[in-house]
Amino acid sequence: MSSKKSSKTLMLVEGAVMVALASVLSFIRVYKLPWGGSITLLSMLPICLYSVKYGVVNGLGAAFVFSLVQFIQGITDGLFGWGLSPMMLVACILFDYILAFTVIGLAGLFRKKGVAGWIVGTVIALMLRFFFHFLSGVVIWESAGKLWKGFETDNTYLYSFLYNGSYMLPEIIFTAIGAVLLLKLPVTKSLVAPRDK
């Protein structure tokens, strides 16, 4: 019984460490957009690895906590100064923070399929994050219309795709490459190997 309790404690401690690591990495930004979104130093990878190791349910739990940290970071980045109506602000918090970052916990979907499944699960989870940011751009930010100087469009879908894709595509690529490189190391592979309860 005490062995089960200690493994649960270890799982929770690892989750807290991975959320903390992901949060620190999210502050290391290669590129930051004016209305939210940035390319970070593999900030989603710790949550993805945790989900692979402990499963989707636990991964979603850690990812949800990470989403709250990202929301707090969004406040410090000026979220409340963007001029959103109360309804739009709630939708922005839901789509751009809570849902977008919580779905990272789905990275462990194919954790029983070995390294290839771990990579596929990670890419799917990150694509889902992109989807929620894209949806937010279509629903909430439709009036923005201006991506950067010299480029304007009335096409809300194109605007959202290009704006969110400009940081999410590199994030997905870098995270997938980081996952492949890390998971090729035997020590990392054994540390991340799925734990069944």
Side-chain angles (χ1 to χ4, degrees):
M1 186 67 170
S2 64
S3 170
K4 193 173 183 180
K5 189 175 180 181
S6 69
S7 70
K8 179 81 171 170
T9 302
L10 177 64
M11 181 184 71
L12 292 173
V13 169
E14 281 187 42
V17 168
M18 290 304 198
V19 169
L21 179 59
S23 300
V24 169
L25 291 173
S26 74
F27 282 102
I28 304 171
R29 298 172 181 167
V30 177
Y31 174 70
K32 182 182 172 195
L33 278 83
W35 302 105
S38 57
I39 301 170
T40 64
L41 184 63
L42 305 176
S43 65
M44 298 178 287
L45 189 54
I47 305 299
C48 293
L49 296 177
Y50 183 77
S51 179
V52 166
K53 183 173 183 176
Y54 288 110
V56 170
V57 173
N58 295 309
L60 287 171
F64 175 72
V65 173
F66 182 52
S67 78
L68 297 179
V69 173
Q70 289 304 298
F71 169 58
I72 292 166
Q73 187 177 334
I75 293 172
T76 63
D77 284 346
L79 171 65
F80 290 111
W82 290 345
L84 297 173
S85 70
M87 197 65 151
M88 287 173 67
L89 181 62
V90 169
C92 180
I93 292 167
L94 183 65
F95 287 118
D96 279 323
Y97 293 97
I98 305 302
L99 292 174
F101 287 95
T102 299
V103 294
I104 298 170
L106 294 173
L109 273 174
F110 305 109
R111 67 194 203 107
K112 304 282 187 171
K113 304 290 184 189
V115 176
W118 303 352
I119 303 300
V120 169
T122 295
V123 170
I124 288 172
L126 303 187
M127 290 297 291
L128 286 171
R129 179 186 161 194
F130 167 74
F131 170 75
F132 281 111
H133 290 305
F134 170 77
L135 193 60
S136 171
V138 170
V139 174
I140 300 163
W141 298 99
E142 64 175 319
S143 60
K146 188 169 183 179
L147 283 168
W148 49 79
K149 193 174 180 180
F151 184 93
E152 294 183 25
T153 179
D154 291 329
N155 187 325
T156 303
Y157 297 95
L158 177 62
Y159 167 76
S160 185
F161 182 81
L162 292 176
Y163 183 91
N164 292 297
S166 71
Y167 68 92
M168 278 306 302
L169 182 60
E171 277 275 294
I172 292 167
I173 292 169
F174 294 151
T175 303
I177 290 170
V180 168
L181 293 176
L182 266 177
L183 295 171
K184 277 191 172 188
L185 300 171
V187 67
T188 308
K189 190 175 175 183
S190 67
L191 283 172
V192 176
R195 304 292 194 265
D196 293 318
K197 272 132 306 301

